[in-house]
């Protein structure tokens, strides 16, 4: 009995010393060259696919326990997207790791050059709770494909998924190079005190700043996937039923609004708003019924703290009378119904922080073009959406709105296109991943120049004569005639 207690106490302690020992162990593995081999990378990616195929029910169960996540959302948005990332990496890996030829100039003649992708080393991945399976393992795909050793720190706010990840990665992946550390603030702090070769963090800006400050002590590069208030601009003259369905899918169909690219607010004109609200009501009732709190197709709010935060936004005096649909809540089961608020004041709480929940305010403007300045007056969002058939308006939106990514006539779907980089700008993040961008995120592109010992150019060396100066200027200025003039002393170079 005493031995079991001691074992549990030992397991519970993960401090800076333990974190340092772990990083040292992983550096030993990386230094051995094991993770650099093509065969190792392929074996780990195939094992991740096997993990998904053999544990689908367990994964769905953990996500149901953490978030009441509908099984379809689990299979499509978490497991399915991860499997697609693995397949893309396996298909393209040989191309990604191949050296890239680079042109050389007359200055280095005779020579050849290449850009060699090499792994960064030992990396730290700190994940989020809203898509706790996908957002833990999708960055891992890039780190593996690039040939790194790594530590994954899942979110303690999704404990069932965190525990499952710890168990499954130990079973399916190479524990000498890939480790999972569970825990909360103390464990994350211990990890952040170490020197890493890159830190990949998904979460909010407040913690992002903490991560960045810790990384700065060691000059560690960071990739921050944050969030922000992602706007939806709705122009008149569109197929409103299709548009509202796509907005609902991106808002409430993605974790009940608890997603970084979830539509955060709508901007439309005074004239068009009544029609928009009526169509949203109709389609929401069609999807979730007259009593949405009872719907099995809506995730719950992750915990009581987030529930209290959302009800505070909803109950503020400035917006409490603006609810035109929904507003129902169930504190015991942590559920809030899809809620629409019309003509919300711009200085309200709900318009000054990321909502990350099932509340959708609508802002009114006189002309739809006013929406672009309104968006740009705030911090840069992770995503921005426009619904319009107007070609000129689309072009203006693309050229004038700064966001991590833009999507015309849909929401959230750009996340699934692996040929597009996914990432933020400004306060919505830095760096990008998905597809080859994930490989690049964990790779250093090393420049290599090869020269022969034959054909040494004496003009490089002292004494620096007038003739050498003239020839050097010609080389810098470029152009074969300049060089000929310099060689024969014909006029000014």
């Amino acid at each position: 009995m005493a031995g079991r207690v001691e074992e549990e106490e030992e397991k519970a302690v993960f401090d800076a010393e333990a974190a340092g020992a772990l990083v040292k162990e992983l550096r030993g593995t990386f230094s051995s060259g094991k993770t650099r081999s093509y065969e190792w990378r392929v074996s780990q990616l195939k094992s991740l696919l096997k993990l998904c195929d053999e544990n689908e029910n367990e994964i769905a169960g953990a996500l149901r326990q953490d978030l009441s996540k509908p099984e379809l959302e689990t299979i499509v948005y978490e497991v399915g997207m991860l499997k697609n990332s693995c397949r893309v990496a396996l298909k393209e890996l040989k191309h990604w790791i191949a050296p890239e030829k680079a042109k050389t100039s007359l200055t280095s003649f005779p020579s050849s050059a290449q850009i060699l992708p090499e792994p960064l080393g030992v990396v730290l991945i700190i994940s989020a709770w809203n898509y706790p399976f996908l957002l833990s393992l999708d960055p891992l795909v890039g780190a593996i494909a690039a040939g790194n050793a790594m530590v994954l720190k899942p979110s303690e706010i999704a404990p069932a998924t965190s525990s499952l990840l710890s168990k499954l990665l130990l079973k399916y992946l190479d524990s000498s190079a890939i480790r999972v550390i569970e825990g909360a603030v103390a464990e994350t702090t211990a990890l952040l005190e170490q020197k890493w070769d890159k830190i990949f963090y998904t979460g909010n800006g407040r913690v992002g700043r903490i991560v960045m400050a810790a990384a700065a002590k060691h000059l560690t590069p960071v990739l921050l996937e944050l969030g922000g208030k992602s706007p939806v601009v709705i122009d008149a003259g569109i197929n409103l039923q299709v548009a509202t369905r796509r907005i609902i899918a991106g808002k409430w169909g993605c974790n009940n609004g608890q997603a970084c690219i979830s539509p955060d607010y709508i901007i439309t004109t005074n004239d068009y708003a009544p029609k928009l609200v009526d169509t949203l009501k109709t389609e929401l009732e069609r999807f979730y019924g007259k009593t949405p709190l009872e719907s099995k197709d809506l995730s719950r709010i992750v915990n009581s703290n987030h529930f209290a935060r959302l009800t505070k936004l909803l109950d503020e005096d400035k917006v409490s009378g603006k609810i035109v649909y929904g507003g129902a809540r169930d504190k015991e089961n942590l559920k809030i119904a899809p809620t629409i608020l019309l003509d919300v004041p711009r200085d309200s709480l709900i318009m000054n922080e990321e909502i990350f929940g099932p509340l959708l305010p609508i802002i009114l403007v006189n002309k739809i073009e006013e929406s672009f300045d309104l968006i740009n007056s705030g911090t840069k969002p992770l995503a921005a959406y426009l619904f319009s058939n107007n070609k000129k308006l689309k072009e203006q939106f693309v050229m004038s709105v700064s966001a991590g990514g833009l999507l015309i006539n849909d929401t959230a779907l750009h996340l699934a296109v692996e040929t597009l980089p996914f990432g933020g700008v400004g306060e919505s993040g830095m760096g990008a991943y998905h597809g080859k961008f994930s490989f690049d995120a964990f790779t250093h592109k090393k420049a290599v120049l090869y020269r022969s010992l034959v054909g040494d150019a004496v003009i490089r060396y002292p004494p620096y004569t007038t003739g050498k100066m003239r020839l050097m200027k010609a080389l810098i200025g470029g152009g074969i005639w300049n060089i000929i003039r310099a060689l024969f002393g014909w006029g000014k170079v």
Side-chain angles (χ1 to χ4, degrees):
M1 180 69 177
R4 188 187 305 167
V5 171
E6 288 173 4
E7 184 181 337
E8 289 176 355
E9 287 178 351
E10 184 180 346
K11 184 180 179 182
V13 175
F14 186 83
D15 54 14
E17 185 179 351
L22 173 59
V23 173
K24 185 177 180 180
E25 179 186 336
L26 291 172
R27 288 205 182 281
T29 300
F30 179 74
S31 296
S32 73
K34 180 180 187 180
T35 64
R36 291 173 177 262
S37 78
Y38 173 77
E39 291 74 19
W40 183 87
R41 304 182 205 198
V42 167
S43 71
Q44 299 306 296
L45 292 170
K46 286 183 176 178
S47 292
L48 266 181
L49 278 174
K50 189 176 180 183
L51 181 157
C52 292
D53 290 334
E54 295 181 352
N55 298 278
E56 198 172 89
N57 290 335
E58 273 194 272
I59 296 164
L63 290 167
R64 188 162 48 247
Q65 187 175 334
D66 285 331
L67 290 153
S68 295
K69 185 167 287 195
E71 188 174 359
L72 184 141
E73 288 188 31
T74 293
I75 300 308
V76 174
Y77 300 137
E78 302 246 18
V79 178
M81 288 186 68
L82 177 68
K83 289 170 72 173
N84 184 64
S85 293
C86 290
R87 292 191 190 105
V88 169
L90 284 166
K91 180 182 177 183
E92 301 293 339
L93 188 57
K94 279 189 177 179
H95 301 294
W96 293 351
I97 65 176
E100 178 186 343
K101 287 185 178 180
K103 290 182 179 180
T104 59
S105 67
L106 189 60
T107 305
S108 61
F109 179 84
S111 65
S112 63
Q114 63 178 198
I115 300 168
L116 185 66
E118 69 172 8
L120 290 171
V122 181
V123 301
L124 172 63
I125 297 167
I126 305 174
S127 183
W129 55 262
N130 56 328
Y131 286 84
F133 185 77
L134 177 68
L135 296 182
S136 293
L137 299 187
D138 208 15
L140 204 77
V141 170
I144 289 170
N148 297 278
M150 66 212 71
V151 170
L152 167 65
K153 167 59 184 66
S155 174
E156 71 279 8
I157 298 176
T161 308
S162 177
S163 177
L164 182 62
L165 285 168
S166 181
K167 182 181 78 172
L168 292 181
L169 265 63
L170 184 63
K171 178 180 177 181
Y172 285 87
L173 299 184
D174 180 358
S175 61
S176 72
I178 303 168
R179 299 288 286 275
V180 178
I181 297 298
E182 291 192 87
V185 175
E187 289 76 13
T188 304
T189 301
L191 289 168
L192 286 174
E193 289 178 6
Q194 311 310 309
K195 178 173 173 56
W196 304 91
D197 295 300
K198 187 152 194 179
I199 299 174
F200 186 117
Y201 169 73
T202 304
N204 61 60
R206 180 184 62 81
V207 178
R209 287 173 170 83
I210 295 170
V211 170
M212 200 167 181
K217 295 176 183 177
H218 301 287
L219 292 179
T220 299
V222 296
L223 194 157
L224 302 179
E225 286 296 337
L226 307 177
K229 297 187 72 64
S230 297
V232 183
V233 178
I234 301 183
D235 189 20
I238 59 172
N239 185 327
L240 197 51
Q241 184 185 39
V242 172
T244 52
R245 283 170 170 255
R246 292 178 178 181
I247 291 167
I248 291 167
K251 177 69 173 180
W252 295 282
C254 286
N255 220 27
N256 203 8
Q258 299 171 108
C260 56
I261 54 170
S262 170
D264 196 272
Y265 64 101
I266 288 175
I267 307 173
T268 195
T269 60
N270 289 284
D271 295 339
Y272 203 61
K275 189 176 180 181
L276 168 65
V277 170
D278 286 344
T279 310
L280 278 168
K281 289 178 180 179
T282 300
E283 297 305 316
L284 279 167
E285 190 169 311
R286 194 191 310 272
F287 291 167
Y288 303 116
K290 294 182 181 294
T291 54
L293 291 179
E294 298 174 12
S295 174
K296 294 180 180 179
D297 295 326
L298 281 170
S299 299
R300 66 168 169 81
I301 307 307
V302 66
N303 60 28
S304 57
N305 289 335
H306 282 270
F307 185 90
R309 179 185 61 81
L310 289 165
T311 54
K312 181 182 178 182
L313 298 181
L314 206 53
D315 291 341
E316 186 189 10
D317 290 341
K318 291 179 181 179
V319 302
S320 58
K322 301 291 186 178
I323 298 172
V324 292
Y325 181 82
R329 63 197 81 170
D330 179 351
K331 186 176 181 180
E332 184 179 348
N333 293 305
L334 299 177
K335 289 215 166 184
I336 299 176
T339 302
I340 302 170
L341 304 96
L342 182 62
D343 195 19
V344 175
R346 295 179 195 177
D347 62 349
S348 58
L349 288 174
I350 202 169
M351 285 306 300
N352 283 278
E353 63 177 76
E354 186 178 8
I355 295 170
F356 224 71
L359 319 179
L360 186 60
I362 299 175
I363 300 295
L364 301 178
V365 293
N366 293 318
K367 289 184 176 181
I368 202 66
E369 289 81 5
E370 296 173 21
S371 60
F372 302 155
D373 287 338
L374 196 158
I375 294 167
N376 289 331
S377 67
T379 57
K380 296 178 180 181
L382 184 58
Y385 307 111
L386 169 69
F387 286 85
S388 178
N389 292 323
N390 185 318
K391 182 181 178 182
K392 186 177 179 181
L393 192 71
K394 293 177 190 177
E395 291 173 352
Q396 187 181 350
F397 180 77
V398 170
M399 292 302 296
S400 63
V401 172
S402 182
L406 304 179
L407 182 51
I408 311 295
N409 290 331
D410 211 327
T411 65
L413 202 60
H414 62 299
L415 180 76
V417 181
E418 69 271 2
T419 53
L420 290 174
F422 179 75
V425 60
E427 291 201 19
S428 59
M430 61 180 68
Y433 73 124
H434 287 184
K436 186 175 185 294
F437 301 101
S438 291
F439 174 84
D440 291 340
F442 293 101
T443 298
H444 167 60
K445 293 189 174 182
K446 184 165 64 179
V448 183
L449 180 68
Y450 297 92
R451 294 207 69 215
S452 168
L453 291 172
V454 176
D456 200 32
V458 296
I459 64 168
R460 292 175 62 186
Y461 311 120
Y464 299 132
T465 64
T466 302
K468 287 181 180 180
M469 176 67 79
R470 188 165 57 243
L471 189 52
M472 278 293 191
K473 283 184 176 181
L475 288 170
I476 293 169
I480 188 66
W481 287 111
N482 269 348
I483 296 168
I484 292 172
R485 287 190 189 100
L487 286 170
F488 290 96
W490 294 343
K492 292 183 179 180
V493 176

